[in-house]
Amino acid sequence: MSAVSSVRASKTRAAWPVWAVAIFFAILYSYAFWAGIGNAIGVPQSVWASYHLGISVTGWILLVFGVILSPAVFVVGLLLGRGRGILARALIFAAGLCVVSAVLGSLLIAPILVNFIA
């Protein structure tokens, strides 16, 4: 019985660094998430205020994609990191954060490349 309890104790002791890394990267991913929500709310209002026009279907797809991307990549990072060491999990989260930043950075220039305003 003592061997089982020591294995359980070692698993619980090793669990908190995993959660700490996940929470740290969740905070970093949340910045991109809230930026996507801010864009989805603010861009249509500013386009209407400036030009009295609406957003095209392509524009709405890009805005919704900007909101969905960050949580989706974070969940994929959680799934890919299962059963790996703490450093591997941190690197997976960091790589996902780089992907999110690159895609959202390219979405900032998308209105110039696509007919964003209807």
Side-chain angles (χ1 to χ4, degrees), residues 7-82:
V7 169
R8 286 184 186 161
S10 67
K11 284 186 178 181
T12 58
R13 274 186 256 139
W16 76 266
V18 171
W19 282 103
V21 167
I23 290 170
F24 174 73
F25 278 101
I27 292 168
L28 295 177
Y29 277 91
S30 69
Y31 177 79
F33 176 68
W34 287 112
I37 289 176
N39 286 338
I41 293 171
V43 169
Q45 291 176 352
S46 66
V47 167
W48 178 256
S50 299
Y51 305 111
H52 297 290
L53 295 172
I55 302 293
S56 68
V57 174
T58 306
W60 279 111
I61 290 171
L62 291 173
L63 289 172
V64 170
F65 182 70
V67 173
I68 294 173
L69 180 68
S70 180
V73 171
F74 182 74
V75 169
V76 168
L78 281 175
L79 294 175
L80 288 175
R82 290 180 61 199

